[in-house]
Amino acid sequence: MTITAYSPLNDFGWAPFFEAQLGEERPPLAALVRVCSVHSMVMNVIGTDGKRQIAIPGNWLSGTPEERPTVGDWLVLDDSGEWPARLLARRTLVTRRAPSDITSVQLVAANLDTLFIVSSLNEDFNLSRLERYLAIAFQSDVTPVVVLTKSDLVTTERAEECAAQARALTPGMNVVVVNSLTIETVSALFPWVERGRTATLVGSSGVGKSTLVNTLSGEERTLTGAIRDSDSKGRHTTSSRTLYTLPNGGLIMDVPGFRELRLPPCDKGLSAAFSEIVALAEHCGFADCQHDGEPDCAVLDAVEEGAITQRRVDNYRKLRREQAAQDDERQQAKIYARQRRAADRISGRPGSKRRRKR
Ligand SMILES: Nc1nc2c(ncn2[C@@H]2O[C@H](COP(=O)(O)OP(=O)(O)OP(=O)(O)O)[C@@H](O)[C@H]2O)c(=O)[nH]1
Ligand SMILES: [Mg+2]
Ligand SMILES: [Zn+2]
């Protein structure tokens, strides 16, 4: 990489992609900062001047979710050095469908290189859930690494069996088995968090994401929580997304455990996560074959031959159905918004016009 005045920022994940956005504008080094956490009115940022808290401009809060700053973003501060002037375009962005609003997305992490998909080797292990996370990683062009935790609580056979099943999901995918409490096994994750590289931890509550942050850091950076005795599930200990710098120079983002993972619009991600089904479907008798018992179905033939599992086909169909339902909902929401604007115009209410201008 060419050395420029901004190279000291490489430690925080700076890249030519961001530098190209500065154009003629050459802000001082200290004016470029990366977002470590976002709260209702303020965000914590890190840069060559260390860590500090800055306010979020009010007009940034009123935009669409994608227009608001999120953890991992790069900002340009104004001359005062106190106030964000620009949010730089993102190199990568992982989103999920907002739990509260069917038609909108929630930002999970910006400008990451690797998505650590964390699952424990006990009850939490679920191939269909892993496939959801993989679709999200592929949708965002982020490298997925499956991290299977709590190897100390299961037999070696169980760990190997789960790892083999996870590996079989995507050719060439990295699957790492760890005991998150000890660096001996966790050190296998270092290649993805080398100096200047950013990884994000996602998975259900209680699988050991925060424990991994602490073990990689060599100290207690964040709280971890005991598992509920009743159902072995976590207690949602981590409550906000935070980007941490590691002693070796890498960056890792801890994310609260997801209760459920609903996919954002994810056509590309699903095609990549289920590439062999997409390829087989080319040979089905009907162009719109649903692989649900139609004659001459190449996908179901492959199931019969044992080349793919019925579970995988069922999950693919389910995720595609979810996408179609989402498209319908978005379409409905658009029609509704259009009708409301028309009604506003007739009654002379100016609300919708103001909304459109922003
Ligand atoms: N034995 C064992 N315990 C682990 C391992 N990983 C995590 N734990 C324990 O599991 C519990 C939950 O770990 P956390 O790191 O808080 O889990 P989390 O994924 O951050 O959970 P949320 O913040 O709720 O999303 C803690 O008691 C950890 O000590 C592991 O590999 N082996
Ligand atoms: Mg946690
Ligand atoms: Zn078919």
Side-chain angles (χ1 to χ4, degrees):
M1 200 182 286
T2 353
I3 298 187
T4 72
Y6 297 109
S7 295
L9 292 171
N10 292 350
D11 286 0
F12 305 106
W14 186 253
F17 174 84
F18 303 112
E19 194 143 339
Q21 296 178 52
L22 298 178
E24 293 297 297
E25 186 191 349
R26 301 314 279 175
L29 193 58
L32 297 163
V33 292
R34 193 156 186 208
V35 178
C36 295
S37 61
V38 179
H39 306 280
S40 51
M41 312 292 282
V42 295
M43 51 196 158
N44 289 304
V45 297
I46 192 165
T48 48
D49 277 1
K51 282 190 182 150
R52 65 199 140 130
Q53 196 165 70
I54 57 172
I56 306 176
N59 58 339
W60 284 26
L61 291 169
S62 56
T64 62
E66 284 95 337
E67 287 166 351
R68 285 175 227 153
T70 194
V71 181
D73 270 330
W74 278 100
L75 308 174
V76 184
L77 303 181
D78 70 2
D79 293 341
S80 73
E82 302 290 326
W83 196 251
R86 252 182 94 187
L87 171 62
L88 294 183
R90 294 150 179 150
R91 199 161 53 78
T92 57
L93 178 67
V94 167
T95 64
R96 65 169 175 153
R97 187 171 158 186
S100 52
D101 176 1
I102 264 147
T103 56
S104 103
V105 295
Q106 191 179 67
L107 310 193
V108 176
N111 300 319
L112 61 160
D113 303 290
T114 307
L115 192 68
F116 284 140
I117 302 172
V118 189
S119 161
S120 70
L121 284 159
N122 50 24
E123 295 81 355
D124 180 66
F125 185 79
N126 180 308
L127 291 172
S128 296
R129 183 162 345 101
L130 288 182
E131 284 166 344
R132 270 181 196 263
Y133 281 106
L134 287 172
I136 284 199
F138 292 132
Q139 180 70 24
S140 342
D141 295 316
V142 167
T143 308
V145 175
V146 172
V147 184
L148 301 176
T149 60
K150 311 203 183 185
S151 59
D152 54 313
L153 300 183
V154 299
T155 61
T156 315
E157 291 75 40
R158 161 90 181 159
E160 279 169 5
E161 171 62 22
C162 292
Q165 287 179 9
R167 264 183 211 113
L169 295 178
T170 296
M173 185 170 58
N174 286 292
V175 177
V176 183
V177 172
V178 298
N179 167 358
S180 322
L181 299 162
T182 65
I183 192 65
E184 283 73 28
T185 51
V186 171
S187 60
L189 303 181
F190 277 132
W192 291 286
V193 282
E194 279 172 357
R195 181 168 293 277
R197 303 198 71 189
T198 308
T200 296
L201 296 153
V202 290
S204 313
S205 175
V207 294
K209 299 178 296 297
S210 302
T211 308
L212 286 166
V213 170
N214 290 340
T215 303
L216 285 165
S217 303
E219 59 175 314
E220 297 295 304
R221 304 284 293 281
T222 177
L223 275 183
T224 62
I227 296 300
R228 286 198 302 237
D229 285 339
S230 54
D231 57 4
S232 308
K233 292 218 165 108
R235 297 165 191 258
H236 292 277
T237 308
T238 305
S239 58
S240 62
R241 292 169 297 134
T242 307
L243 184 67
Y244 295 94
T245 50
L246 294 174
N248 69 328
L251 297 115
I252 194 157
M253 193 186 305
D254 194 9
V255 173
F258 291 156
R259 284 193 170 79
E260 66 168 339
L261 176 61
R262 298 212 273 173
L263 299 185
C266 210
D267 190 46
K268 178 176 106 179
L270 281 175
S271 295
F274 295 91
S275 56
E276 88 287 26
I277 297 185
V278 174
L280 283 165
E282 294 278 312
H283 303 286
C284 290
F286 295 101
D288 63 346
C289 183
Q290 299 298 303
H291 328 304
D292 189 26
E294 292 96 328
D296 205 11
C297 172
V299 173
L300 295 184
D301 286 350
V303 172
E304 207 136 286
E305 287 159 16
I308 45 174
T309 61
Q310 184 67 47
R311 178 209 61 74
R312 187 161 160 86
V313 176
D314 290 345
N315 195 36
Y316 176 66
R317 295 183 61 236
K318 181 177 177 205
L319 295 175
R320 282 282 181 210
R321 275 200 308 274
E322 277 181 25
Q323 291 284 302
Q326 258 190 60
D327 288 346
D328 286 350
E329 284 160 11
R330 263 195 304 276
Q331 209 53 40
Q332 276 304 319
K334 260 191 212 153
I335 293 169
Y336 177 67
R338 215 178 300 136
Q339 286 170 344
R340 207 180 41 204
R341 279 199 299 273
D344 282 351
R345 266 199 304 276
I346 290 164
S347 66
R349 267 181 289 160
S352 61
K353 243 186 197 161
R354 265 215 307 270
R355 262 196 301 279
R356 261 207 315 278
K357 258 190 171 168
R358 215 174 22 223

Short mmCIF file of all heavy atoms in Angstrom, two decimals, residues 149-153 178-181 203-212 223-227 234-239 254-258, ligand 1:
data_model
loop_
_atom_site.label_atom_id
_atom_site.label_comp_id
_atom_site.label_asym_id
_atom_site.label_seq_id
_atom_site.Cartn_x
_atom_site.Cartn_y
_atom_site.Cartn_z
N THR A 149 -17.91 -22.51 19.43
CA THR A 149 -17.36 -22.33 20.78
C THR A 149 -17.77 -23.47 21.72
O THR A 149 -18.58 -24.31 21.37
CB THR A 149 -17.89 -21.01 21.38
OG1 THR A 149 -19.31 -21.09 21.44
CG2 THR A 149 -17.48 -19.80 20.55
N LYS A 150 -17.19 -23.41 22.91
CA LYS A 150 -17.49 -24.33 24.02
C LYS A 150 -17.06 -25.76 23.70
O LYS A 150 -17.73 -26.72 24.07
CB LYS A 150 -18.98 -24.25 24.42
CG LYS A 150 -19.43 -22.79 24.62
CD LYS A 150 -20.64 -22.62 25.49
CE LYS A 150 -21.02 -21.14 25.54
NZ LYS A 150 -22.09 -20.79 26.42
N SER A 151 -15.91 -25.86 23.01
CA SER A 151 -15.39 -27.19 22.67
C SER A 151 -15.09 -27.98 23.94
O SER A 151 -15.11 -29.20 23.94
CB SER A 151 -14.13 -27.06 21.82
OG SER A 151 -13.15 -26.34 22.54
N ASP A 152 -14.83 -27.24 25.05
CA ASP A 152 -14.51 -27.92 26.31
C ASP A 152 -15.75 -28.58 26.92
O ASP A 152 -15.63 -29.40 27.82
CB ASP A 152 -13.93 -26.90 27.31
CG ASP A 152 -14.83 -25.69 27.51
OD1 ASP A 152 -15.31 -25.13 26.49
OD2 ASP A 152 -15.08 -25.30 28.66
N LEU A 153 -16.93 -28.25 26.44
CA LEU A 153 -18.15 -28.80 27.04
C LEU A 153 -18.73 -29.96 26.23
O LEU A 153 -19.76 -30.52 26.60
CB LEU A 153 -19.22 -27.70 27.19
CG LEU A 153 -18.84 -26.50 28.07
CD1 LEU A 153 -20.01 -25.53 28.18
CD2 LEU A 153 -18.41 -26.95 29.46
N VAL A 178 -13.29 -23.59 18.97
CA VAL A 178 -12.55 -22.97 20.08
C VAL A 178 -13.19 -23.22 21.45
O VAL A 178 -14.38 -23.50 21.55
CB VAL A 178 -12.45 -21.42 19.91
CG1 VAL A 178 -11.70 -21.03 18.66
CG2 VAL A 178 -13.83 -20.77 19.94
N ASN A 179 -12.35 -23.10 22.46
CA ASN A 179 -12.83 -22.88 23.82
C ASN A 179 -12.55 -21.39 24.02
O ASN A 179 -11.40 -20.98 24.15
CB ASN A 179 -12.01 -23.74 24.79
CG ASN A 179 -12.23 -23.33 26.23
OD1 ASN A 179 -12.96 -22.38 26.52
ND2 ASN A 179 -11.57 -24.04 27.14
N SER A 180 -13.61 -20.57 24.03
CA SER A 180 -13.42 -19.11 24.03
C SER A 180 -12.68 -18.60 25.25
O SER A 180 -12.22 -17.46 25.26
CB SER A 180 -14.77 -18.38 23.99
OG SER A 180 -15.67 -19.02 23.20
N LEU A 181 -12.60 -19.42 26.29
CA LEU A 181 -11.98 -18.96 27.53
C LEU A 181 -10.46 -19.02 27.49
O LEU A 181 -9.80 -18.42 28.34
CB LEU A 181 -12.50 -19.81 28.71
CG LEU A 181 -14.01 -19.73 28.95
CD1 LEU A 181 -14.48 -20.89 29.81
CD2 LEU A 181 -14.36 -18.40 29.60
N GLY A 203 -24.11 -13.67 16.48
CA GLY A 203 -24.61 -14.98 16.90
C GLY A 203 -25.62 -14.81 18.02
O GLY A 203 -25.88 -13.69 18.47
N SER A 204 -26.18 -15.91 18.48
CA SER A 204 -27.20 -15.85 19.53
C SER A 204 -26.57 -15.39 20.85
O SER A 204 -25.35 -15.45 21.01
CB SER A 204 -27.82 -17.23 19.76
OG SER A 204 -28.16 -17.82 18.55
N SER A 205 -27.42 -15.00 21.78
CA SER A 205 -26.94 -14.60 23.11
C SER A 205 -26.34 -15.81 23.82
O SER A 205 -26.87 -16.92 23.74
CB SER A 205 -28.11 -14.05 23.92
OG SER A 205 -27.69 -13.77 25.23
N GLY A 206 -25.21 -15.59 24.49
CA GLY A 206 -24.64 -16.63 25.34
C GLY A 206 -23.66 -17.57 24.64
O GLY A 206 -23.11 -18.47 25.26
N VAL A 207 -23.40 -17.36 23.36
CA VAL A 207 -22.50 -18.28 22.65
C VAL A 207 -21.02 -17.98 22.90
O VAL A 207 -20.16 -18.79 22.57
CB VAL A 207 -22.77 -18.31 21.12
CG1 VAL A 207 -24.15 -18.91 20.84
CG2 VAL A 207 -22.63 -16.94 20.50
N GLY A 208 -20.75 -16.78 23.50
CA GLY A 208 -19.35 -16.49 23.86
C GLY A 208 -18.69 -15.40 23.04
O GLY A 208 -17.46 -15.33 22.97
N LYS A 209 -19.47 -14.50 22.45
CA LYS A 209 -18.89 -13.42 21.62
C LYS A 209 -18.03 -12.49 22.47
O LYS A 209 -16.88 -12.20 22.12
CB LYS A 209 -20.01 -12.62 20.92
CG LYS A 209 -20.87 -13.48 19.99
CD LYS A 209 -21.99 -12.69 19.34
CE LYS A 209 -23.03 -12.15 20.30
NZ LYS A 209 -23.77 -13.19 21.04
N SER A 210 -18.58 -12.02 23.60
CA SER A 210 -17.81 -11.10 24.45
C SER A 210 -16.62 -11.81 25.08
O SER A 210 -15.55 -11.21 25.25
CB SER A 210 -18.72 -10.51 25.54
OG SER A 210 -19.81 -9.86 24.94
N THR A 211 -16.80 -13.09 25.39
CA THR A 211 -15.69 -13.87 25.93
C THR A 211 -14.54 -13.90 24.93
O THR A 211 -13.36 -13.78 25.29
CB THR A 211 -16.16 -15.31 26.26
OG1 THR A 211 -17.33 -15.23 27.06
CG2 THR A 211 -15.10 -16.11 26.98
N LEU A 212 -14.87 -14.01 23.63
CA LEU A 212 -13.84 -14.00 22.59
C LEU A 212 -13.11 -12.65 22.54
O LEU A 212 -11.89 -12.61 22.38
CB LEU A 212 -14.46 -14.32 21.22
CG LEU A 212 -14.85 -15.78 21.00
CD1 LEU A 212 -15.76 -15.93 19.77
CD2 LEU A 212 -13.61 -16.65 20.83
N LEU A 223 -18.26 -7.03 29.56
CA LEU A 223 -18.94 -7.96 30.46
C LEU A 223 -19.36 -9.22 29.73
O LEU A 223 -19.81 -9.16 28.59
CB LEU A 223 -20.21 -7.31 31.00
CG LEU A 223 -20.11 -6.40 32.22
CD1 LEU A 223 -21.50 -5.95 32.61
CD2 LEU A 223 -19.45 -7.14 33.38
N THR A 224 -19.25 -10.35 30.42
CA THR A 224 -19.81 -11.58 29.88
C THR A 224 -20.85 -12.05 30.90
O THR A 224 -20.82 -11.64 32.06
CB THR A 224 -18.74 -12.67 29.69
OG1 THR A 224 -18.18 -12.96 30.97
CG2 THR A 224 -17.64 -12.19 28.75
N GLY A 225 -21.79 -12.86 30.46
CA GLY A 225 -22.87 -13.24 31.38
C GLY A 225 -23.07 -14.73 31.46
O GLY A 225 -22.91 -15.43 30.46
N ALA A 226 -23.42 -15.18 32.66
CA ALA A 226 -23.65 -16.63 32.82
C ALA A 226 -24.88 -17.04 32.02
O ALA A 226 -25.73 -16.23 31.68
CB ALA A 226 -23.84 -16.95 34.30
N ILE A 227 -24.92 -18.30 31.71
CA ILE A 227 -26.01 -18.90 30.94
C ILE A 227 -27.17 -19.23 31.87
O ILE A 227 -26.96 -19.59 33.02
CB ILE A 227 -25.44 -20.18 30.28
CG1 ILE A 227 -24.34 -19.81 29.29
CG2 ILE A 227 -26.49 -21.03 29.63
CD1 ILE A 227 -24.78 -18.91 28.18
N GLY A 234 -28.41 -17.59 26.61
CA GLY A 234 -27.74 -16.45 27.21
C GLY A 234 -28.74 -15.46 27.78
O GLY A 234 -29.96 -15.60 27.60
N ARG A 235 -28.23 -14.44 28.46
CA ARG A 235 -29.10 -13.45 29.11
C ARG A 235 -29.02 -12.09 28.44
O ARG A 235 -29.30 -11.08 29.05
CB ARG A 235 -28.69 -13.29 30.58
CG ARG A 235 -28.83 -14.55 31.39
CD ARG A 235 -28.06 -14.40 32.70
NE ARG A 235 -27.95 -15.66 33.40
CZ ARG A 235 -28.69 -15.98 34.46
NH1 ARG A 235 -29.58 -15.16 34.93
NH2 ARG A 235 -28.51 -17.14 35.05
N HIS A 236 -28.60 -12.03 27.22
CA HIS A 236 -28.47 -10.76 26.50
C HIS A 236 -27.64 -9.76 27.31
O HIS A 236 -28.08 -8.67 27.64
CB HIS A 236 -29.85 -10.21 26.09
CG HIS A 236 -30.49 -11.09 25.07
ND1 HIS A 236 -30.20 -10.98 23.73
CD2 HIS A 236 -31.32 -12.14 25.19
CE1 HIS A 236 -30.86 -11.92 23.07
NE2 HIS A 236 -31.54 -12.64 23.94
N THR A 237 -26.44 -10.19 27.64
CA THR A 237 -25.54 -9.40 28.48
C THR A 237 -25.05 -8.15 27.76
O THR A 237 -25.06 -7.05 28.32
CB THR A 237 -24.33 -10.27 28.91
OG1 THR A 237 -24.84 -11.47 29.45
CG2 THR A 237 -23.45 -9.56 29.91
N THR A 238 -24.59 -8.30 26.51
CA THR A 238 -24.10 -7.15 25.75
C THR A 238 -25.31 -6.39 25.22
O THR A 238 -26.20 -6.98 24.61
CB THR A 238 -23.21 -7.63 24.59
OG1 THR A 238 -22.18 -8.44 25.14
CG2 THR A 238 -22.62 -6.47 23.81
N SER A 239 -25.34 -5.05 25.47
CA SER A 239 -26.54 -4.31 25.06
C SER A 239 -26.28 -3.34 23.93
O SER A 239 -27.22 -2.81 23.34
CB SER A 239 -27.13 -3.58 26.26
OG SER A 239 -26.16 -2.72 26.79
N ASP A 254 -18.00 -6.20 18.98
CA ASP A 254 -18.91 -7.07 19.73
C ASP A 254 -20.33 -6.58 19.49
O ASP A 254 -20.60 -5.38 19.47
CB ASP A 254 -18.57 -6.98 21.23
CG ASP A 254 -19.22 -8.08 22.04
OD1 ASP A 254 -19.79 -9.01 21.44
OD2 ASP A 254 -19.15 -8.01 23.29
N VAL A 255 -21.22 -7.51 19.26
CA VAL A 255 -22.61 -7.18 18.91
C VAL A 255 -23.54 -7.91 19.88
O VAL A 255 -23.28 -9.06 20.22
CB VAL A 255 -22.89 -7.62 17.44
CG1 VAL A 255 -24.34 -7.46 17.06
CG2 VAL A 255 -22.00 -6.84 16.47
N PRO A 256 -24.62 -7.25 20.35
CA PRO A 256 -25.57 -7.97 21.22
C PRO A 256 -26.12 -9.20 20.51
O PRO A 256 -26.30 -9.19 19.28
CB PRO A 256 -26.69 -6.94 21.44
CG PRO A 256 -26.09 -5.62 21.14
CD PRO A 256 -25.03 -5.87 20.10
N GLY A 257 -26.39 -10.26 21.25
CA GLY A 257 -26.92 -11.49 20.65
C GLY A 257 -28.25 -11.23 19.96
O GLY A 257 -29.09 -10.49 20.46
N PHE A 258 -28.42 -11.84 18.77
CA PHE A 258 -29.68 -11.67 18.05
C PHE A 258 -30.71 -12.65 18.59
O PHE A 258 -30.42 -13.83 18.75
CB PHE A 258 -29.48 -11.96 16.55
CG PHE A 258 -28.64 -10.95 15.82
CD1 PHE A 258 -27.97 -11.30 14.67
CD2 PHE A 258 -28.52 -9.65 16.29
CE1 PHE A 258 -27.21 -10.38 13.97
CE2 PHE A 258 -27.76 -8.71 15.60
CZ PHE A 258 -27.09 -9.08 14.45
N1 LIG B 1 -16.99 -23.47 29.06
C1 LIG B 1 -17.09 -22.47 28.19
N2 LIG B 1 -17.82 -21.41 28.53
C2 LIG B 1 -17.89 -20.41 27.65
C3 LIG B 1 -17.25 -20.44 26.39
N3 LIG B 1 -17.55 -19.29 25.73
C4 LIG B 1 -18.33 -18.57 26.53
N4 LIG B 1 -18.56 -19.23 27.69
C5 LIG B 1 -19.40 -18.80 28.82
O1 LIG B 1 -20.69 -18.57 28.30
C6 LIG B 1 -21.30 -17.46 28.98
C7 LIG B 1 -21.78 -16.44 27.97
O2 LIG B 1 -20.67 -15.86 27.32
P1 LIG B 1 -20.72 -14.37 26.71
O3 LIG B 1 -19.36 -14.13 26.15
O4 LIG B 1 -21.25 -13.41 27.68
O5 LIG B 1 -21.76 -14.60 25.54
P2 LIG B 1 -22.23 -13.53 24.44
O6 LIG B 1 -22.27 -14.27 23.14
O7 LIG B 1 -21.39 -12.32 24.49
O8 LIG B 1 -23.71 -13.24 24.89
P3 LIG B 1 -24.62 -11.86 24.71
O9 LIG B 1 -23.78 -10.69 25.09
O10 LIG B 1 -25.75 -12.08 25.64
O11 LIG B 1 -25.02 -11.85 23.27
C8 LIG B 1 -20.23 -16.94 29.95
O12 LIG B 1 -20.50 -17.50 31.22
C9 LIG B 1 -18.94 -17.47 29.38
O13 LIG B 1 -17.95 -17.66 30.38
C10 LIG B 1 -16.48 -21.60 26.06
O14 LIG B 1 -15.90 -21.75 24.97
N5 LIG B 1 -16.43 -22.59 27.01
#
